[in-house]
Amino acid sequence: MLLPRFEYHRPARLDEALAILAQHQGQAAVLAGGTDLLVGMKHKLMKPAHVVGLEALEGFGQIQEQEGMLLLGPMLTASALAGEPGVRARATALALGAGVLGSPQVRNRATVGGNVCNARPAADMCVPLLALGATALLQSAHGAREVPLSEFFLGPGRTVRTPGELLCGVKLPAGGPGVGSGYQKLGLRQALEIALVNVAAFVALEDDGQTVKTARVALGAVAPTPILSPGAEAALTGQVISEELIRQAAQAAAADARPIDDHRGSADFRRQEVLVLTRRALQQAWQAARQD
Amino acid sequence: MKKLAITLVVNDTEHELLVAPNRTLAQVLREDLGLTGTKQGCQVGDCGSCTVLLDDEPVNSCLVLAAQVTGRRVRTIEGVADGNRLHPIQEAMVEHGAIQCGFCSPGMILSAKSLLEKNPDPSNGDIRQALSGNLCRCTGYQKIVEAVADAAQKMGRA
Ligand SMILES: Cc1cc2nc3c(=O)[nH]c(=O)nc-3n(C[C@H](O)[C@H](O)[C@H](O)COP(=O)(O)OP(=O)(O)OC[C@H]3O[C@@H](n4cnc5c(N)ncnc54)[C@H](O)[C@@H]3O)c2cc1C
């Protein structure tokens, strides 16, 4: 399977990269790990005249922590995120999602920026990032903006990012004492599998260690984009956390899911699984919040 | 399509190459360097036949542009044996009947090599996890997993 022809750009500086994108508006594709883009180009789903590789840009593969926020460079690979102790401790759901994406070979190339910009409804890093309250940092030749992930996805493969914009990072609150998150993925196989349903949960407890200050539940593969469950959030916030409360939140999440029937599973089955996986993800998050 | 000058360190030898940007690492290894031990199966990252080590980590070389990895180190199956002496993983694969048609073997061996370099004493689960991106349609995997476990033991003793 051959790749179509294109000109390759390998900018070493961000302003250079943004200038190339501005110059070739709509004709240029950004290349990170290539595990989505090159597959699509081989299948002739896209045929960009220009490809802009991000591998030479400095700092794009870094993790920084400042003022309680984690700043993830867009070129961080799934392997790096899954193995990094800081991410495992402070953004557990993301490390767990990154660790079950594709296969070892795919994880060594697949980047967080690629996962977010590719915007698949079941993406293993998008669903955790949504639950963790992440924000996309976009930059173009004309300026920068920050978009919460809850407003970033528009549909399968569609986001608010314009062709001239580069995702320059993902920002999220770093977890600490009383904060925890969890991730659950259901597939038909243990590896190399796109989720049939995936759920990430985030819980932050008040100082009393039992009242829920903030909670978010993100659902994958049950809507055209990864979605947050407002029902689960409402059920949990301000309440004393318990197994029973978690069960109620899971029910609310299942009610918020909008799954469809497809060749991979029925809508009914998916809704049932949202219930089960939300319960497990919340239990994971609660346990992690209690441990710190 | 402007060709690009790149450098690749393949099996410890530096190569300066002029490549079209749309050529994958797998193509350049096979066609320009004659290293046909790297197999091309599905060509979209599912099967793992084209696995090579990029700076010691397994990747699907069908989904990497050669131009993307200029300056980096690549190890292919041709760079695993020590002259005519097979690597312990290769030896164990032969002994355990873990090679049937052989198409997946180069990729399997490279994935296993990367595992054993990081984790010399892997559990059965660790081995299966490390090989989960390499499909085999002949063996049913059991013999391959046994071969890697055996190689790990022998390498530990050596
Ligand atoms: C065999 C196989 C198995 C897979 N399994 C899974 C799985 O289990 N779960 C899962 O979620 N995904 C899976 N994927 C999909 C893919 O690996 C992930 O979505 C991955 O995170 C994409 O990252 P990348 O760096 O390879 O992206 P690329 O392919 O380089 O880019 C993806 C898209 O994002 C754009 N882009 C990338 N970076 C930026 C940036 N910084 N700014 C602007 N635009 C950008 C590109 O232009 C392109 O449109 C699989 C893919 C393969 C081939």
Side-chain angles (χ1 to χ4, degrees):
Chain A
M1 232 180 287
L2 299 177
L3 284 165
R5 298 160 67 91
F6 54 83
E7 298 299 331
Y8 192 60
H9 305 263
R10 195 170 195 273
R13 290 197 331 266
L14 179 59
D15 57 348
E16 215 183 313
L18 297 177
I20 297 167
L21 288 182
Q23 190 190 340
H24 300 290
Q25 284 279 349
Q27 298 294 310
V30 174
L31 176 67
T35 59
D36 281 313
L37 183 70
L38 296 182
V39 173
M41 286 172 66
K42 283 188 173 192
H43 286 140
K44 312 291 188 280
L45 300 177
M46 40 232 169
K47 208 174 168 301
H50 299 267
V51 172
V52 185
L54 303 184
E55 68 274 1
L57 287 176
E58 231 165 88
F60 263 36
Q62 278 175 5
I63 302 179
Q64 292 172 53
E65 196 176 337
Q66 38 185 253
E67 291 159 24
M69 300 298 278
L70 277 182
L71 194 62
L72 307 178
M75 289 296 277
L76 283 162
T77 62
S79 300
L81 290 168
E84 173 66 37
V87 177
R88 292 163 71 128
R90 295 173 178 281
T92 311
L94 177 62
L96 294 174
V100 295
L101 182 152
S103 66
Q105 290 93 320
V106 174
R107 289 194 285 278
N108 283 334
R109 297 295 296 164
T111 66
V112 61
N115 201 253
V116 167
C117 291
N118 206 56
R120 305 317 302 184
D124 279 305
M125 292 194 264
C126 293
V127 174
L129 284 171
L130 193 56
L132 292 166
T135 300
L137 310 180
L138 295 169
Q139 214 165 315
S140 74
H142 309 294
R145 61 176 174 144
E146 301 191 358
V147 183
L149 273 204
S150 54
E151 295 163 21
F152 185 77
F153 304 117
L154 298 178
R158 291 195 308 118
T159 72
V160 302
R161 183 181 78 86
T162 61
E165 281 178 315
L166 205 55
L167 179 72
C168 292
V170 176
K171 196 171 77 174
L172 56 146
V179 177
S181 63
Y183 183 64
Q184 296 285 325
K185 173 181 188 175
L186 176 78
L188 304 178
R189 316 158 14 103
Q190 305 266 331
L192 274 172
E193 173 72 320
I194 303 297
L196 199 57
V197 176
N198 48 347
V199 176
F202 169 88
V203 172
L205 300 175
E206 300 281 4
D207 291 340
D208 65 6
Q210 50 178 353
T211 310
V212 178
K213 184 157 64 180
T214 326
R216 279 183 297 269
V217 171
L219 313 176
V222 293
T225 68
I227 55 169
L228 284 170
S229 163
E233 187 172 336
L236 291 161
T237 308
Q239 304 297 312
V240 170
I241 195 158
S242 66
E243 289 292 342
E244 180 48 34
L245 186 71
I246 285 177
R247 248 190 300 279
Q248 287 166 16
Q251 246 147 20
D256 282 340
R258 290 175 274 131
I260 54 165
D261 292 311
D262 69 9
H263 62 288
R264 315 188 62 245
S266 69
D268 278 350
F269 177 64
R270 284 201 163 100
R271 198 181 296 281
Q272 189 58 39
E273 281 306 320
V274 168
L275 189 78
V276 175
L277 299 187
T278 302
R279 203 178 67 223
R280 289 182 190 160
L282 279 169
Q283 280 164 343
Q284 245 179 328
W286 181 22
Q287 195 172 12
R290 269 188 306 195
Q291 261 166 11
D292 300 307
Chain B
M1 210 167 31
K2 206 168 93 222
K3 286 200 178 180
L4 306 158
I6 65 164
T7 314
L8 290 179
V9 181
V10 182
N11 303 331
D12 306 316
T13 305
E14 191 171 307
H15 297 270
E16 285 182 10
L17 300 157
L18 202 58
V19 300
N22 67 346
R23 300 191 62 227
T24 62
L25 179 59
Q27 286 175 309
V28 169
L29 291 170
R30 289 175 55 85
E31 296 161 12
D32 296 22
L33 299 180
L35 298 172
T36 52
T38 300
K39 302 304 175 201
Q40 298 223 71
C42 72
Q43 309 207 26
V44 288
D46 287 319
C47 78
S49 314
C50 66
T51 300
V52 301
L53 303 186
L54 182 64
D55 294 330
D56 304 322
E57 298 294 339
V59 301
N60 293 313
S61 60
C62 73
L63 289 186
V64 177
L65 296 182
Q68 259 181 307
V69 291
T70 182
R72 296 181 65 181
R73 277 185 302 115
V74 178
R75 186 156 303 274
T76 70
I77 191 65
E78 288 87 350
V80 171
D82 180 8
N84 282 334
R85 262 215 357 258
L86 291 183
H87 187 279
I89 300 171
Q90 292 173 304
E91 226 159 48
M93 293 275 288
V94 174
E95 274 169 25
H96 285 261
I99 299 177
Q100 291 188 23
C101 88
F103 201 81
C104 74
S105 309
M108 284 285 181
I109 290 164
L110 287 162
S111 287
K113 185 173 187 301
S114 154
L115 167 71
L116 297 189
E117 270 159 18
K118 278 176 282 192
N119 179 359
D121 188 21
S123 67
N124 193 289
D126 295 337
I127 296 173
R128 286 180 184 275
Q129 168 92 11
L131 301 182
S132 61
N134 294 86
L135 303 194
C136 173
R137 303 288 81 167
C138 303
T139 64
Y141 300 103
Q142 185 58 29
K143 288 167 187 232
I144 299 175
V145 173
E146 286 166 11
V148 176
D150 189 27
Q153 266 205 344
K154 287 191 173 134
M155 287 164 72
R157 257 185 260 132

